[in-house]
Amino acid sequence: METTIKTLNPESVRPPVASVGILGWMRKNLFNSVFNSILTILTVYLLWKIVPPFIQWAFLESSWHTTSEQCRAGDGACWSIITRNIRFILFGFFPYDQHSRPLVAMLILFTLLGFSRNRKHWKKHLGYAWIAGLFAMGLLMKGGVFGLTSVESTQWGGLPLTLLLAVFGLTAAYPLGVVLALGRQSKMPIVKVLCVLYIELIRGVPLISLLFMSSVIFPLFLPEGITINKILRAQVAIILFTAAYIAEVVRGGLQAITRGQYEAAESLGLNYFLTMRLIILPQALKIVIPPSVSILISAFKDTSLVVIIALYDVLKTTQSALSNPLWMGYSKEAYLFLAILYFLGCFSMSNYSRKLEKELSAGG
Amino acid sequence: MIEELTKDGAAQSVGAPMIEIRELHKWFGEFHVLQGIDLDVHRQERIVICGPSGSGKSTLIRCINRLEEHQKGRIVVDGIELTNNIKNIEKVRAEVGMVFQHFNLFPHLTILDNLTLGPLWVRKTPKKQAEEAAMHYLEKVHIAEQAKKYPGQLSGGQQQRVAIARSLCMNPKVMLFDEPTSALDPEMIKEVLDVMIDLAKEGMTMIVVTHEMGFARSVAHRVLFMDYGKIVEGNTPEEFFKKPKHERTKLFLSQILH
């Protein structure tokens, strides 16, 4: 009973050179058919035409800290429009000598946001930190105490205004949307009808019209002498608008939860609020993370619509910088800068949602 | 094992019955699913309900903890009548354990958290005590080593045993089982039935909707046969299987016992 084992020459066991390594990868992914080969060549050609000139324009021939005259003399991008106007773009009409205040306020906000990224930090003291932080931010913006000069909210503008509208808008709209979604499922007919009416009415009008209403029509109904802050009115319009969309997304999540989950919770003796809070919402909200983040991202970008009611958010301050005759004609650079700002905000949101999804999906 | 089970006394025990059902009617739309049910369940009594699908047996036990609302008649559980009073309903539900065909564990919580949820939030038991009790019941259903896992990581039989343990953590006075083994692969049925037999030995009051006639024969004090929304007949397992009185019962038994 002797078996002969044929020993293979190690060379012959290796895959052929053309199927491994960079060459193999290229053959498999870029040139595996005539059509794909043409596409590859075309793409490379387009990239060759676009990328080097862009790099030349944006970096090699660009001017960064020059006057506008020097800019006009050069060929490349004129980033000087940003660097020379950065304080106006970021802070708008906030008194020039007080710019450190909104800066510190933003830093507090970013610190808190960064700290909140980690779910392990979601404890009671983080809640207190947020309350203290929000209070401090309000104080820094408004002033009037502790020797800080008072700054009217009409002078607020730029990035702090955008962030204010976005952060408050999103954090208030989300819970409101969840409540509306639950209301729409309610067995109480009045609650249900009110929620349906609200959602359908709000979704039936564009955000712009809501903003107009809040700034033009709403004050007409107020008794004489009473005015409500313009920023607050815009803020409320954004919250009400976003909440309606969140509500519909959350409703989709609620529908994905089987009756068995409600029955199991009820048969343990849990009441409605505990059932929702402990069993239904944790599962439903996890399902709808991707679509809710889409809504939050678009709401963040929609804050730029406050331009039309003459609030100076970061888009409007950039446009104002452009309307200065000295810097006219550099809109490419200005809007590119703005796009990067918005992209950073949106990208970090979608990035965080992916991280959150991954963490939560660990639990079955 | 099974033969050790004593069936004496319990069914005849004196005092008010644990569950009292009188003239119970229920409709699903036009469909008259329960047509005048009368049933007393005494403390420590074990009842098996069988019958063809659509006969109303699941609906009947779901009425007992008000997962279904009845439209006529009365149900009294441990002295509390089930009405629209939500506080009473929650009180009854906390005292009545329910095991479902599809387990219905909470997939976003670990096994341990599934078990402690009720005691922590409904009974307001301190966390440490609730966890100790949970581990005790997990050991009882032979699954303590899985405490930190999520339901999705367990087999069907294991999930159903966890579901039983979850109900036990509430120290229920009655346990309702709604076809607990129907969704299981055959090789897992025994492990769940064994846990239920252990429970029976400890004197738990149980109402079980099942087609496991071996279980009925060895554990039940009474076997009820339901058809078209009525209890057609009920008897001790010996009488029930040997001498069924009604034609419908005979036909049903011949079909499921082959």
Side-chain angles (χ1 to χ4, degrees):
Chain A
M1 287 280 278
E2 231 176 275
T3 47
T4 50
I5 296 167
K6 196 175 156 198
T7 48
L8 290 166
N9 175 7
E11 268 313 300
S12 70
V13 186
R14 287 215 189 108
V17 183
S19 67
V20 289
I22 299 174
L23 229 65
W25 181 88
M26 279 172 68
R27 257 177 81 136
K28 203 173 142 201
N29 293 292
L30 299 178
F31 299 101
N32 57 350
S33 70
V34 177
F35 181 63
N36 271 359
S37 304
I38 295 173
L39 276 186
T40 304
I41 292 164
L42 213 66
T43 314
V44 169
Y45 175 75
L46 281 175
L47 287 175
W48 178 249
K49 277 282 171 201
I50 294 167
V51 176
F54 177 79
I55 290 175
Q56 196 168 21
W57 174 78
F59 300 105
L60 300 179
E61 292 177 2
S62 60
S63 28
W64 292 79
H65 292 284
T66 56
T67 61
S68 64
E69 286 81 19
Q70 285 167 305
C71 253
R72 296 202 193 276
D75 284 333
C78 176
W79 298 114
S80 312
I81 182 179
I82 307 297
T83 49
R84 288 285 165 125
N85 294 303
I86 188 73
R87 287 178 69 164
F88 180 74
I89 290 176
L90 287 186
F91 302 120
F93 294 111
F94 207 88
Y96 196 80
D97 54 338
Q98 303 284 328
H99 277 180
S100 59
R101 281 162 51 182
L103 185 68
V104 173
M106 284 199 295
L107 289 179
I108 294 177
L109 180 69
F110 289 140
T111 314
L112 283 171
L113 285 174
F115 204 64
S116 308
R117 259 180 84 85
N118 191 339
R119 288 205 314 138
K120 286 202 190 81
H121 296 155
W122 291 6
K123 303 252 169 65
K124 231 180 212 158
H125 57 255
L126 185 62
Y128 294 136
W130 267 103
I131 293 170
L134 289 176
F135 194 69
M137 283 184 255
L139 217 62
L140 281 167
M141 293 298 287
K142 193 122 182 72
V145 277
F146 302 131
L148 296 170
T149 358
S150 175
V151 177
E152 282 304 309
S153 64
T154 44
Q155 289 175 289
W156 296 5
L159 197 55
L161 180 63
T162 297
L163 290 173
L164 175 88
L165 291 172
V167 171
F168 277 100
L170 306 192
T171 44
Y174 200 77
L176 182 60
V178 171
V179 169
L180 283 167
L182 291 177
R184 193 168 182 166
Q185 289 214 322
S186 168
K187 283 179 191 138
M188 284 175 272
I190 299 173
V191 175
K192 187 177 170 146
V193 167
L194 282 178
C195 288
V196 172
L197 265 179
Y198 173 87
I199 292 168
E200 296 305 334
L201 280 179
I202 295 278
R203 288 204 308 165
V205 289
L207 178 58
I208 290 193
S209 68
L210 275 186
L211 288 171
F212 270 133
M213 277 192 243
S214 76
S215 76
V216 182
I217 302 175
F218 180 65
L220 297 180
F221 294 108
L222 289 178
E224 211 153 331
I226 292 183
T227 51
I228 293 179
N229 185 316
K230 199 170 179 181
I231 295 178
L232 183 65
R233 278 182 275 146
Q235 179 81 81
V236 169
I238 289 172
I239 292 172
L240 295 182
F241 184 78
T242 310
Y245 284 85
I246 291 286
E248 282 301 275
V249 164
V250 171
R251 187 165 72 100
L254 289 174
Q255 280 171 348
I257 308 299
T258 58
R259 262 207 71 62
Q261 291 291 307
Y262 290 89
E263 289 178 355
E266 283 167 8
S267 65
L268 283 177
L270 292 177
N271 60 31
Y272 175 80
F273 290 102
L274 286 178
T275 303
M276 286 302 158
R277 190 181 132 199
L278 300 171
I279 308 299
I280 307 301
L281 285 178
Q283 296 185 58
L285 295 185
K286 188 175 100 185
I287 298 172
V288 297
I289 288 176
S292 4
V293 171
S294 282
I295 288 175
L296 296 183
I297 284 176
S298 77
F300 170 60
K301 291 181 291 184
D302 283 351
T303 56
S304 58
L305 289 174
V306 295
V307 165
I308 58 139
I309 55 170
L311 285 178
Y312 274 71
D313 80 324
V314 71
L315 176 65
K316 185 68 183 169
T317 53
T318 312
Q319 281 179 330
S320 309
L322 273 174
S323 62
N324 180 342
L326 268 182
W327 298 103
M328 239 175 222
Y330 292 117
S331 46
K332 257 185 294 187
E333 292 83 346
Y335 286 125
L336 214 59
F337 171 74
L338 208 57
I340 293 169
L341 270 191
Y342 274 105
F343 178 78
L344 285 178
C346 296
F347 185 69
S348 48
M349 272 195 261
S350 77
N351 209 11
Y352 179 63
S353 87
R354 248 175 302 153
K355 174 176 132 89
L356 199 62
E357 244 180 292
K358 212 187 264 170
E359 281 176 11
L360 292 176
S361 71
Chain B
M1 285 286 264
I2 297 171
E3 289 72 42
E4 293 166 23
L5 213 61
T6 53
K7 291 189 189 167
D8 47 61
Q12 285 77 41
S13 69
V14 282
M18 185 72 214
I19 299 172
E20 192 183 334
I21 299 174
R22 289 284 172 277
E23 261 307 296
L24 185 70
H25 287 268
K26 174 165 181 63
W27 287 262
F28 283 131
E30 287 292 300
F31 179 53
H32 199 176
V33 59
L34 295 178
Q35 310 182 2
I37 304 283
D38 284 291
L39 179 65
D40 281 348
V41 181
H42 296 275
R43 271 161 230 282
Q44 303 205 330
E45 190 176 20
R46 300 185 287 274
I47 291 181
V48 165
I49 305 176
C50 60
S53 64
S55 59
K57 50 196 194 307
S58 284
T59 310
L60 173 62
I61 69 165
R62 286 161 61 84
C63 279
I64 294 173
N65 69 350
R66 195 72 168 189
L67 288 180
E68 302 287 353
E69 208 173 297
H70 59 275
Q71 282 113 2
K72 252 175 89 180
R74 46 190 250 123
I75 303 176
V76 181
V77 180
D78 199 24
I80 304 173
E81 177 167 4
L82 284 170
T83 56
N84 281 327
N85 183 334
I86 187 74
K87 285 284 154 229
N88 276 354
I89 293 172
E90 277 160 15
K91 245 184 260 168
V92 167
R93 282 174 177 162
E95 302 302 331
V96 176
M98 179 96 182
V99 176
F100 300 89
Q101 183 178 355
H102 295 287
F103 334 132
N104 295 345
L105 294 177
F106 306 128
H108 61 301
L109 301 175
T110 61
I111 300 304
L112 189 63
D113 290 340
N114 262 277
L115 265 67
T116 54
L117 189 106
L120 284 180
W121 294 93
V122 179
R123 297 254 193 257
K124 314 277 183 218
T125 318
K127 191 172 160 83
K128 193 165 172 285
Q129 205 179 322
E131 281 180 358
E132 278 167 10
M135 288 312 291
H136 166 75
Y137 285 113
L138 280 180
E139 268 159 37
K140 210 160 157 179
V141 300
H142 320 294
I143 209 162
E145 70 282 1
Q146 316 276 17
K148 292 287 172 208
K149 287 194 182 167
Y150 287 92
Q153 296 166 300
L154 303 190
S155 73
Q158 290 174 321
Q159 289 194 47
Q160 193 61 298
R161 285 185 279 149
V162 171
I164 293 171
R166 177 174 70 180
S167 290
L168 291 176
C169 281
M170 294 291 287
N171 288 321
K173 292 176 177 156
V174 193
M175 286 282 283
L176 308 175
F177 294 84
D178 188 3
E179 306 206 26
T181 57
S182 301
L184 295 176
D185 289 334
E187 74 269 23
M188 294 170 183
I189 291 177
K190 188 174 176 302
E191 63 187 55
V192 171
L193 289 180
D194 283 347
V195 166
M196 291 166 65
I197 290 167
D198 285 344
L199 258 186
K201 280 181 193 157
E202 285 163 22
M204 176 63 76
T205 313
M206 296 161 78
I207 305 178
V208 185
V209 171
T210 186
H211 291 151
E212 293 295 329
M213 289 302 130
F215 175 82
R217 215 187 289 263
S218 57
V219 171
H221 294 114
R222 264 197 289 166
V223 181
L224 307 180
F225 174 69
M226 278 185 73
D227 200 11
Y228 294 113
K230 290 189 180 113
I231 296 177
V232 177
E233 70 174 287
N235 217 328
T236 61
E238 294 79 29
E239 295 292 309
F240 182 85
F241 290 111
K242 254 182 243 152
K243 291 177 266 178
K245 291 185 198 110
H246 290 262
E247 279 308 311
R248 278 292 301 150
T249 319
K250 282 177 199 161
L251 182 67
F252 177 75
L253 285 176
S254 73
Q255 277 164 348
I256 64 164
L257 298 176
H258 308 297

